[in-house]
Amino acid sequence: MDRRNFHRGVGLFQLHGFYKGMGFPLLTAGIMNSVFFGVYGNCLRALENFHKRQEPENNGVSKYWYMNIFFAGVCAGTAQVAVASPVELVKIQLQSQTGTWEKQHSRKHTGPINCILHIVNEHGLRGLYHGSQITMCRDSLSSGLYVLTYVVCLDMFHGPQQVWTVIFAGGTAGVISWASIIPLDVIKSRIQADDLSNPRYKGIVDCTVKSYKKDGLHVFRRGFITCSFRSFPVNAATFLGYERSLKFCQHVSKDFFTHPEQKDT
């Protein structure tokens, strides 16, 4: 966010202007994280079991461990697009109206539900997945790098036993994964902020070319600093919650499946 946009947000909406369009993503964040980590865990387990069957003498993790982590992350990122793409579209459509404050009467959407109904009425359910192709490219690659970076960082510090190692590994994974796909995110945001009835961009390539011609090469790193500052604490908290939830579930599962006579001993 540059200084001009910062002052515009303060002048037009006061403090709450910076949180415009965030209600819907907050309500669906739990669903997206559940889908992501659920698919990731199951894919990683399936890949490890497959490679262990090929190497029955290996009792530890397979030699393809890091590759399996990356591909499990790619699968998880691809799966979450089913939820993430409509959520991102609604958020960006609402946020893109910020610059038309002086034209309040001409706004299309008054909130997330109104935005969803408007898109579905005019473009059908398919309209909610406008920009899903570039979203899939962004989320699949970044998610693979995301979990791979996290696991590599944890291995450097001998696992998630300490809270600070989880915070560091999660935050670092968030920054690196976001840094890798900032250009894709810029293109995705422009496509999803476009007018669905009269689009300016014909597709990913057309958006890339027009953005470059208008704003130059530096446009594809726009927002990097803001995303970096945001992604470290957000992803540190995400992985800390993930590790604690995993330990809790394992503890409950262990107690649940322990026979009464074993508990007495």
Side-chain angles (χ1 to χ4, degrees), residues 21-62:
M22 289 306 298
F24 192 49
L26 283 174
L27 291 174
T28 54
I31 298 174
M32 286 193 291
N33 281 325
S34 297
V35 170
F36 179 83
F37 285 110
V39 173
Y40 167 70
N42 283 288
C43 284
L44 182 58
R45 189 179 303 111
L47 289 169
E48 279 292 287
N49 288 338
F50 172 78
H51 285 119
K52 284 181 180 180
R53 285 195 297 269
Q54 309 300 315
E55 305 171 336
E57 70 284 354
N58 185 6
N59 295 323
V61 297
S62 72

Side-chain angles (χ1 to χ4, degrees), residues 137-159:
C137 292
R138 183 198 70 168
D139 287 0
S140 59
L141 295 174
S142 65
S143 295
L145 186 59
Y146 181 55
V147 291
L148 179 61
T149 303
Y150 175 71
V151 172
V152 169
C153 287
L154 281 186
D155 287 347
M156 290 171 57
F157 296 106
H158 310 291

Side-chain angles (χ1 to χ4, degrees), residues 185-205:
D185 188 64
V186 170
I187 297 168
K188 182 201 75 71
S189 297
R190 292 191 168 207
I191 289 175
Q192 290 189 322
D194 205 0
D195 187 346
L196 274 63
S197 300
N198 185 27
R200 181 189 310 172
Y201 307 115
K202 298 178 182 178
I204 298 172
V205 175

